[in-house]
């Protein structure tokens, strides 16, 4: 059994100041009203160009982000690596819609691949499809809506951006994750991800698609992918539960179509753990990253490796968490010799605000998560006091 309760290891690189900041942040976020008030206030202040950058930078940004640039994230990269935790540099400018923004995200992703290719401490790169293409266009592609001449041009530009990323990843031997998003654009994402896997995963898994196990059709999707890839290419998969649960339910309700996500948490957990089993049973053809803050799923994956006699640090199997969250999982897994990495979001403060707001909202909405973070911080503060 992994001892996730070893808080000395979990917070080994956190100063008392770090712990106090985390305590006040998570305490604040745990109150939905206060959290809503603060996120609303931040949105308004940024819209009005009020000088709140330094406050955000010293608090929520410091907890969840590496820096404004790749260079500024170096301190975090090195700090994590002291505990043998790898970094996944994640350019987190979200909700952008112009060609210049897409080209900027492309440039950043390429730079992160170049950096990963010369760094032992950066095992993966990542990109979000909506960072490279308009959401509305992805939706049209998803729905096979007829495209205007301009849409066609933008679609080709988007596909070229994705291909440029995957080609560089292949040439530099760097694995790259394609993040999963809302179900109403996910078929379009799966389609290009499958194409890229077929093209660049012929020798090993370098391109990873993401599967959200809160969806009620993803186990079938995984089986279909296994069938389709047989003897043709390796599969790279990041397994997550899914970040848009409320939006999925709401949209299905508003538009009167069958809800694509599970309604019971236990169903999502069951499918997540099933997917872990399926992947490990096919490990000769699949490489996986378990992107989760869930202790049970992390333990189940560790047990599966043990049962199948797979080395803990087999490079086809990674655990991954987000910077600033679930250090008790990351640090204790790494201490036990498993491969661990953290998403390290970076970017200008105003651009990463949607990411930070999502963290705040997620942390108030996930039953259990907030409690876990807070309890661990309080217990560690107490442990240090008792020394
Ligand atoms: C490294 C990493 C990469 C990620 N990449 C992506 C990505 O590409 N795309 C993406 O969408 N998300 C991504 N996520 C976020 C992820 O999907 C989850 O939102 C988050 O990690 C919380 O889930 P959990 O597995 O950590 O565990 P838990 O805290 O145990 O589970 C919470 C999750 O369970 C599900 N859930 C909650 N309530 C219910 C309910 N009533 N019925 C059914 N299901 C429910 C939701 O998915 C919720 O997020 C990523 C997370 C990590 C750590």
């Amino acid at each position: 059994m992994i001892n996730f309760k070893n808080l000395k290891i979990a917070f080994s690189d956190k100063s008392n100041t770090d712990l106090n900041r985390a305590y006040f942040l998570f305490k604040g976020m745990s109150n939905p009203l206060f959290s809503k008030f603060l996120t609303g206030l931040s949105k308004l202040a940024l819209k009005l160009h009020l000088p709140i950058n330094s406050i955000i930078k010293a608090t929520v940004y410091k907890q969840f982000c590496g820096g404004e640039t790749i260079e500024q994230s170096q301190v975090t990269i090195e700090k994590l690596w002291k505990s043998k935790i790898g970094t996944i540099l994640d350019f987190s400018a979200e909700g952008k819609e112009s060609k210049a923004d897409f080209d900027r995200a492309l440039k950043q992703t390429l730079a992160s691949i170049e950096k990963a290719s010369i760094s032992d401490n950066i095992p993966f790169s990542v990109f979000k499809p909506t960072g490279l293409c308009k959401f509305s266009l992805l939706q049209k592609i998803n729905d096979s809506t007829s495209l205007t001449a301009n849409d066609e041009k933008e679609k080709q530009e988007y596909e070229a951006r994705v291909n440029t990323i995957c080609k560089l990843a292949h040439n530099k031997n760097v694995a790259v994750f394609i993040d999963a998003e809302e179900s109403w654009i996910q078929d379009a994402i799966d389609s290009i991800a499958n194409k890229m896997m077929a093209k660049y995963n012929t020798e090993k898994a370098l391109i990873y698609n993401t599967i959200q196990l809160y969806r009620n059709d993803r186990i079938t999707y995984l089986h279909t992918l296994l069938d389709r890839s047989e003897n043709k290419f390796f599969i790279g998969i990041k397994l997550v539960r899914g970040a848009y649960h409320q939006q999925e339910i709401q949209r299905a309700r508003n538009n009167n179509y069958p809800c694509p996500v599970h309604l019971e948490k236990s169903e999502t957990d069951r499918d997540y753990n099933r997917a872990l089993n399926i992947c490990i049973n096919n490990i000769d053809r699949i490489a996986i990253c378990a992107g989760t803050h869930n202790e049970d799923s992390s333990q189940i994956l560790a047990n599966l490796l043990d049962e199948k006699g797979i080395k803990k640090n087999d490079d086809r199997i990674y655990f991954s968490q987000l910077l600033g969250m679930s250090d008790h999982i990351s640090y204790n897994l790494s201490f036990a010799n498993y491969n661990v990495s953290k998403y390290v979001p970076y970017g200008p403060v105003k651009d990463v605000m949607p990411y930070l707001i999502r963290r705040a909202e997620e942390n108030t909405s996930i039953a259990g998560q907030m409690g876990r973070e807070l309890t661990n911080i309080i217990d560690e503060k107490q442990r240090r006091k008792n020394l």
Side-chain angles (χ1 to χ4, degrees):
M1 292 291 280
I2 316 282
N3 180 9
F4 292 118
K5 292 277 165 285
N6 190 332
L7 299 180
K8 187 175 177 205
I9 286 172
F11 295 110
S12 53
D13 61 7
K14 304 291 178 295
S15 65
N16 289 341
T17 314
D18 292 334
L19 272 186
N20 286 334
R21 186 185 51 248
Y23 171 78
F24 285 114
L25 270 175
F26 284 112
K27 185 92 186 145
M29 287 191 287
S30 68
N31 181 333
L33 273 181
F34 184 65
S35 182
K36 228 179 181 161
F37 171 71
L38 271 193
T39 49
L41 197 68
S42 312
K43 280 183 203 169
L44 183 71
L46 284 169
K47 222 180 214 167
L48 298 175
H49 300 287
L50 298 180
I52 59 159
N53 265 23
S54 50
I55 302 172
I56 292 172
K57 256 190 130 166
T59 53
V60 67
Y61 187 93
K62 200 165 168 60
Q63 178 74 17
F64 295 116
C65 298
E68 299 221 13
T69 60
I70 291 181
E71 290 70 35
Q72 280 181 21
S73 306
Q74 190 61 30
V75 176
T76 303
I77 296 172
E78 283 168 17
K79 196 171 173 188
L80 288 171
W81 193 239
K82 280 198 180 131
S83 301
K84 286 283 168 284
I85 295 172
T87 286
I88 304 167
L89 284 165
D90 178 20
F91 181 61
S92 293
E94 292 185 9
K96 303 285 177 179
E97 290 280 285
S98 76
K99 183 175 184 303
D101 290 321
F102 301 145
D103 288 339
R104 183 169 71 130
L106 168 67
K107 208 169 140 201
Q108 289 294 330
T109 311
L110 296 177
S112 79
I113 293 172
E114 293 283 0
K115 169 110 179 142
S117 72
I118 51 164
S119 315
D120 288 341
N121 46 19
I122 306 183
F124 302 98
S125 286
V126 64
F127 70 90
K128 227 174 155 57
T130 49
L132 304 173
C133 182
K134 281 181 190 152
F135 192 100
S136 55
L137 179 56
L138 279 171
Q139 199 173 343
K140 281 187 184 175
I141 301 170
N142 196 86
D143 298 345
S144 306
T145 307
S146 65
L147 302 181
T148 63
N150 192 50
D151 288 342
E152 276 297 349
K153 184 175 146 275
E154 289 184 7
K155 181 184 171 197
Q156 279 170 19
E157 286 169 355
Y158 153 64
E159 289 179 347
R161 286 183 197 108
V162 174
N163 187 58
T164 303
I165 290 170
C166 296
K167 190 173 170 190
L168 183 70
H170 180 256
N171 291 346
K172 298 280 177 179
N173 195 29
V174 172
V176 63
F177 295 153
I178 303 177
D179 274 351
E181 307 200 50
E182 289 86 344
S183 64
W184 54 103
I185 58 167
Q186 191 58 40
D187 282 353
I189 297 173
D190 290 341
S191 159
I192 198 158
N194 291 349
K195 250 191 238 167
M196 294 297 111
M197 280 200 264
K199 192 168 175 184
Y200 295 113
N201 285 3
T202 49
E203 288 141 46
K204 65 188 229 187
L206 284 171
I207 313 301
Y208 286 55
N209 195 16
T210 301
I211 296 186
Q212 299 155 312
L213 278 309
Y214 63 15
R215 287 201 33 190
N216 47 32
D217 61 352
R218 293 291 95 172
I219 294 292
T220 310
Y221 170 79
L222 183 54
H223 283 303
T224 310
L225 190 57
L226 271 162
D227 289 344
R228 226 188 275 153
S229 66
E230 191 148 24
N231 301 323
K232 295 191 193 97
F233 60 91
F234 290 91
I235 300 172
I237 287 294
K238 170 159 60 88
L239 296 172
V240 300
R241 280 180 168 72
Y244 311 94
H245 193 244
Q246 285 309 318
Q247 294 95 308
E248 292 289 351
I249 294 171
Q250 204 54 54
R251 187 172 189 271
R253 223 174 257 160
N254 293 347
N255 295 290
N256 208 18
Y257 61 82
C259 184
V261 296
H262 293 304
L263 298 177
E264 297 290 333
K265 172 74 163 57
S266 57
E267 295 172 319
T268 301
D269 293 344
R270 180 204 59 208
D271 277 8
Y272 192 94
N273 299 336
R274 258 190 206 164
L276 288 174
N277 262 283
I278 296 168
C279 290
I280 294 301
N281 283 330
N282 290 281
I283 199 64
D284 51 332
R285 301 169 50 204
I286 301 189
I288 61 162
C289 172
T292 183
H293 299 146
N294 184 295
E295 284 177 28
D296 288 343
S297 294
S298 302
Q299 183 65 58
I300 285 169
L301 179 54
N303 293 350
L304 279 169
L305 300 193
D306 195 31
E307 278 163 31
K308 305 279 174 192
I310 299 171
K311 273 196 317 194
K312 288 175 171 181
N313 61 351
D314 187 303
D315 63 6
R316 294 167 299 183
I317 299 143
Y318 260 83
F319 295 80
S320 193
Q321 289 76 41
L322 306 179
L323 184 71
M325 290 179 69
S326 294
D327 285 342
H328 66 300
I329 295 184
S330 314
Y331 284 70
N332 283 305
L333 279 170
S334 172
F335 185 74
N337 263 338
Y338 293 94
N339 292 324
V340 182
S341 56
K342 287 241 193 216
Y343 265 39
V344 174
Y346 73 94
V349 175
K350 70 173 185 354
D351 291 345
V352 301
M353 273 318 282
Y355 174 87
L356 293 175
I357 288 169
R358 236 170 350 106
R359 285 291 74 76
E361 285 168 352
E362 178 188 79
N363 276 311
T364 39
S365 68
I366 297 174
Q369 174 72 39
M370 178 55 47
R372 268 198 311 267
E373 299 289 351
L374 253 186
T375 308
N376 286 339
I377 294 164
I378 293 167
D379 288 353
E380 175 60 4
K381 275 160 68 80
Q382 192 57 47
R383 191 191 69 80
R384 289 186 187 187
K385 231 184 228 168
N386 295 343
L387 284 179

